[in-house]
Every structure is written in C-alpha cells, then in structure tokens.
Amino acid sequence: MANNFVKSFFKVTSISIITRVVSFIFHIYLTRIFGALNIGIYSIASSVFVMFACFASSGFPVTLSRKIAHYDALGDFDHSNSMLTSTLVITAGISTAICLFFYLVPSSMNLLFSNPKCREVFRILLPTLISTAIYATFRAWFWGKKKYTTYSLLEFADEAFLLVGVLIIWLTKFYSTEPYNAFALANVIGDVFCMIIIVIMFIAFGGKIKKPNYGGEITSSSLPITTTRIIGSLMSSVVALMLPSLLVHGGMSLDMATADYGRMSSMVLPIALAPNTIIGSLLVIMIPEIASLVAKKGKTAANGKIKNAMIFTALISALLMTIFISAGEDISIMFYADERAGNMLVITSMIILPLVINQLSASLLNTLGREKKTFISSIISSIGLILTLLILAKAIGIYAYPAALLVYHSIGLIFNTINLKKYTDISLSYLVVCGLTLAISIGVGYLVKLIGLSYQQLNIFGRVCISSIISTLIFGVFALPIVIKLKKHRNAIISKNSNK
C-alpha cells in the first residue's frame, strides 16, 4: 500500500512538474512579448472570470472525487455514477446561466470593470465557463477512480491545448493589435479542445452516466467548499480591482499601477507558488486515499499520512524559499528581463511556507468532511486580507499584496490547525518543523545573498546556478538533523506499537 502511494505520488509529481515547466516557459514567452501592462489587463479580467468559474467548477468536482472514492470503497458504483451525472447537470447549468446573463445584460460588465479593455477580455472568456465546468466534472471522475496518471496527463493536455490555441490565434493574426484579447480567445479554443478530449476519454475508460438522483447530496456537500473558493476568488478579484486604485491614490499613474499588479500576479506569484506543484500532487493521491480510509476505518486512520505530508511539504517549500530569497533578482531578470519583479520575488517568497501549509490543511479538512470549518476560517481570513490592503497599500505600495496574503494564510492556518487537531487528534509536531525550516530558510537565503556578492562578475545563468546549489547544500546541512530526528521518532513509535 505504502509503495503504491509513493509510486503514484512520484508519477503525478513528475507529470505535474513537466506541466508547470511547460506552462512557466510559455508564460515567460507571453510576458516578454506582451509586456507587464498587457499582462496586467488580462490578469485583472481573468481574476474576475475565475471568481464566476468557481460557482460551478470549484467545490463540486472536488467533492465529487471524494464521494466517488467513498462509494466505490463501499462497492456502491451506481451511486457514484449517478452523482457524476448530478454534478454534470448542476455545473453545466450554473455556467450556462451565468454566460446568458452577461450576454443578455452586457451593461452589467460595466459594474465589474472601469477599463473597457478588461470588459472585452472578460466577454471573450465567458464561453469557457461551460467547457471548464464539463471538463472539471469528468476530470474529477478520473480522480475519484484513483486513475492518477490519467488525471495528471489531462492537466498537461490542458496546458498543451492552450499553447495550440495561442499558436492558432497568433498565426492567423487575430487581435494582433490587442494581445490581451488574443490570449483570451486562445484560452477559449484550448479549453473547448480539452473538453472534447476528456469526454472521449471518459467513454473509452468505460465511464457510465446514470439518472441524476443525488443532486441534493452533492450540492449540500459541495456548497461550503464552493462558497469558500468563491470567497478566495472574490478576494483575488477585489485585489485585482482595488489594489491598482489604491496605488493610484498613493501617487502612481494608472499604467504604472496596472503594470506592477501584472508583475506581481503574472511574474512573481507563478514562481513563488512553485511548491503548489508538490501540494497538488499530494492531494491528488491523498484525497481519494483518505476518503477510502475514512469510509472503512474512521477519521484517525489517516493521521500518519497527514503528518508526513505536512512535514514533506514544509521541507520542500522552505528549500524553494531559500533559493528564491538568495537568487530572486537574478531569476527574474533571467526569465523576464525585469529587475523590479526580482525585488518583488525576494520579498514575496517569504510567505511561501504559511501559504502552502494552510492550503494543505484546508484541503485535508475538506476531505474529512469539515467544509463548514474551512468556510468560517476563510471568511475571517478575507477580512484580514482586505484590512491589510487598505492599511498598507499607500505605505508600501505593491508589497501590500504579499503582506495581505501572509495575513490571510496565517489566520487560516491558525483556525485550520485547531480544527485538524480537534477532528483527527493528530500530533502538531509538524508545526515545530515548519517554524524551524522557516527560520533556517530566511537565514540561509540572506547568507547566500551576501556570499553571492563575491561572484557578481559571472553571467546571470552562472549566478543563479551557483546560488541555488549553495542554498541547497547549506539548507540541507541544517535540515538533515531535523529529518533524521523525525525518522528516529517515527521508528520508535512503530517499534512500540508492534511490541504491544
């Protein structure tokens, strides 16, 4: 069982890393071609679009995957298939209703965007609501059936079809003077292709559609997660719409404020959130596994998996933090030719650890059926995020964004940790690892930053490589004793339990 878990994790992680690398390289190219201003326009519109997409293609698919794993573990396959159909009807219906509303009442978009360019991008993206809802529902079926490799390959296909869409639009010269619209249309084309492929694969894998009898069950289970994710997307939209205005109020021009938001949202955060690849891979494996364990053995059966996942995520995240702190400026210049984005990356990387641990703890609570608890914590966290932006935007400019994210995830982590302890009785020793690795990461990162002054004469690629290697080695020296101590502690517990 453990070997299968590890093999599945490494398969999923390998595919996810390849997917992220392809996506990252592609977005580097787009950023260099379009520039920070055009990327900022697209980012503002797409952040609002994602908020509406959350109504149908966020909580429902996640809950569906857990339900399928749960009922399959009990041998009730008809129930699983009926829930798939119910989810498909609900998500496609919600998405269609949203699209029709905005197309029939186009003036409503004026309330969302003051910039007409953002309105046009949003209008182009609207059909993707329907194709995304259908794609996400069928992909959740593969997830719940524990077809992890196929599930991950579908994510890679999504990125590949986006690239195909961009090439089609770019080669045909559509919207050549409005690149943000070109990217939006490419997303529509790529998403429709992906939807068609996943439906064909569902049929090829023997998927079945049953009468939708469990709409109430899937809706009641999905509603807290959906609402929580809507709030998260709403916060992203609030940041996208509010932060540039706050920066303008603080003395920036509108173009400069939009460009800074574009740097942070499309250049800095995609790099800083690299550990999410690890979290995503863990959750792909863990959510169905935990759902099956809980169905058969109860909620405390997965404590070991949860603790190991937390510690592993903390170590990987802290290592990447160290590299970004030590070489952030050079990384950004190498990828984007943008020194200002590099300064943002160094500061923003310091929020990585609380961010990823909070996201992991929230997802695990949702898997354990405690969606209402994560919903409450997201409400309180969101209030902290908005207050932080309002208080700090004028004083520290664009850096109010990572500060607000830090407040949001720190509050969430406190609440989610309390609830995770309450409902699983898991040992909170992983928090000690998080604290130690956070301190080590910041200290080692700035130490290597100072060491880097001695080889500033090298080319930028050489500096990034040397800084990354030195950061990894020094971090490993400090982190290795922690890993060894944890392993000895785990072996002692196993030995003690076996002697009982």
Side-chain angles (χ1 to χ4, degrees), residues 73-137:
L74 300 176
D76 193 352
F77 300 103
D78 284 343
H79 198 141
S80 298
N81 293 331
S82 183
M83 292 203 80
L84 167 69
T85 312
S86 300
T87 304
L88 195 60
V89 171
I90 294 168
T91 56
I94 292 173
S95 301
T96 302
I98 293 172
C99 283
L100 288 174
F101 172 78
F102 282 111
Y103 281 131
L104 294 175
V105 192
S107 59
S108 59
M109 285 185 271
N110 297 340
L111 300 175
L112 297 174
F113 307 101
S114 58
N115 190 331
K117 295 177 180 178
C118 294
R119 290 198 292 270
E120 181 62 15
V121 171
F122 182 77
R123 184 190 65 80
I124 294 170
L125 285 172
L126 275 174
T128 314
L129 285 173
I130 302 171
S131 57
T132 297
I134 295 172
Y135 167 84
T137 300

Side-chain angles (χ1 to χ4, degrees), residues 444-458:
V444 173
Y446 277 99
L447 173 62
V448 177
K449 203 174 181 64
L450 289 174
I451 295 173
L453 296 174
S454 63
Y455 49 84
Q456 280 296 304
Q457 72 280 4
L458 298 178

Side-chain angles (χ1 to χ4, degrees), residues 183-202:
F183 195 29
L185 187 57
N187 270 275
V188 176
I189 293 173
D191 216 63
V192 170
F193 280 153
C194 242
M195 179 192 70
I196 294 170
I197 291 297
I198 200 169
V199 171
I200 293 172
M201 290 186 67
F202 172 76

Side-chain angles (χ1 to χ4, degrees), residues 14-24 152 155-157 159:
S14 300
I15 297 170
S16 295
I17 289 173
I18 293 170
T19 302
R20 294 291 183 271
V21 168
V22 170
S23 174
F24 184 59
S152 300
E155 184 183 19
F156 178 79
E159 290 293 337

Side-chain angles (χ1 to χ4, degrees), residues 59-60 63 218-228 230 371 375:
F60 282 96
T63 303
I218 192 70
T219 300
S220 60
S221 296
S222 301
L223 193 58
I225 299 179
T226 300
T227 308
T228 299
I230 289 171
E371 300 94 340
F375 167 70

Side-chain angles (χ1 to χ4, degrees), residues 63-72 80 83 217-218 221:
T63 303
L64 176 63
S65 67
R66 176 167 61 86
K67 291 287 186 179
I68 288 175
H70 178 90
Y71 287 113
D72 281 4
S80 298
M83 292 203 80
E217 180 182 349
I218 192 70
S221 296

